[in-house]
Amino acid sequence: MSTPPIMDFSGQVVLITGASRGIGRAAAVQFARQGARVAVHYHSHAQAAAETLAALPGEGHLIVQADMADAEGVRRMVDSVVQQMGRLDVLVNNAGIYEDHPVATVSYDEWQAAWTRTLQTNLVGVANAAYCAARHMMAQGGGRIVNVTSRGAFRGEPDAPAYGASKAAMNSMSQSLAKALAPHGIYVTAVAPGWVDTDMAADYLNAPGGDAIRAQSPLNRVATPDEVAYTVLFLASRGAEFLTGAVVDVNGASYLRT
Ligand SMILES: NC(=O)c1ccc[n+]([C@@H]2O[C@H](COP(=O)([O-])OP(=O)(O)OC[C@H]3O[C@@H](n4cnc5c(N)ncnc54)[C@H](OP(=O)(O)O)[C@@H]3O)[C@@H](O)[C@H]2O)c1
């Protein structure tokens, strides 16, 4: 068997949701470095998305906007990528939100609002993007979907139970779709990071409890966005097909599943 060209995405089109900042931006840069044309998705930070686009080597990249909680917006986003870029080889479902809603302190209205917002964005929106992408990938004979989930799916999220539930459901959805889409040549995987040094984590990492968070890992630090992005690229690469259905931890041994 000849060795496949690992991490070569030349000629491929990659749509990364939430690529305006954090992990998504790091993945966009890494995919572009490996020859991909990248669709940089954002929700509300247009300037940040423009900065991601400007940081991408190569040509043929573009920006798309959508609220992941808006089913029609998600469909328009995926369709416009295929229309403008001609195909879709990889979907990275990375956009997500985290909000605290501790059961002991929030009102019932706040509780419901947090669950609705979180599940619509992190789960239903992700499922919709996977559906729309899969239809194009089926028509073109294959593709890859990588979902960015979280260690919280396994360890629990006491202050943000909707977030933990959304990520556990994303893992389960990844496994279901890996089985359903394998006959169509579409491989589906998930990456479950622990703490990552991004805007989402900044308030916690810069607070007095920041050192305790870093100490959760025996490496005594949190992940860089690049470390998570690297795993995303590996899972999307040619040669990684048999990892379909896998949920890969990127948490610096801070939480070891058995
Ligand atoms: N940081 C961590 O410690 C950590 C740990 C485990 C898992 N994760 C997961 O990793 C993924 C990326 O996180 P990150 O830390 O890079 O986050 P981030 O820096 O907060 O960036 C979030 C991204 O998601 C987009 N987004 C937010 N709400 C959206 C919505 N309603 N519709 C569409 N896009 C939306 C944002 O777009 P705008 O810029 O336009 O707002 C932004 O591009 C998330 O799924 C997160 O749950 C993060």
Side-chain angles (χ1 to χ4, degrees), residues 91-161:
L91 166 67
V92 182
N93 258 324
N94 164 78
I97 55 169
Y98 173 100
E99 56 181 90
D100 281 332
H101 50 284
V103 63
T105 55
V106 294
S107 71
Y108 189 39
D109 282 349
E110 290 166 337
W111 175 257
Q112 289 175 67
W115 275 89
T116 301
R117 262 193 308 271
T118 304
L119 292 184
Q120 277 302 122
T121 307
N122 291 7
L123 180 60
V124 179
V126 165
N128 288 340
Y131 177 95
C132 296
R135 305 304 275 214
H136 290 293
M137 290 172 179
M138 279 186 230
Q140 79 190 15
R144 308 275 201 278
I145 299 173
V146 183
N147 296 316
V148 181
T149 70
S150 173
R151 179 187 68 169
F154 308 108
R155 203 189 61 144
E157 290 285 357
D159 290 332

Side-chain angles (χ1 to χ4, degrees), residues 5 11 19 42 69 102 118 127 257:
Y42 75 101
T118 304
R257 297 187 278 141

Side-chain angles (χ1 to χ4, degrees), residues 17-25 41-46 48-49 65-70 93-98 117 121-122 148-152 157 163 167 170 191-202 205 222 225 228:
T17 67
S20 45
R21 298 182 277 132
I23 295 165
R25 175 182 283 180
H41 159 265
Y42 75 101
H43 175 223
S44 50
H45 291 88
Q65 190 279 337
D67 180 352
M68 292 304 292
D70 171 10
N93 258 324
N94 164 78
I97 55 169
Y98 173 100
R117 262 193 308 271
T121 307
N122 291 7
V148 181
T149 70
S150 173
R151 179 187 68 169
E157 290 285 357
Y163 180 82
K167 297 301 190 176
M170 271 180 80
V191 180
W195 286 96
V196 188
D197 190 6
T198 68
D199 292 348
M200 185 180 276
L205 296 176
V222 300
V228 181

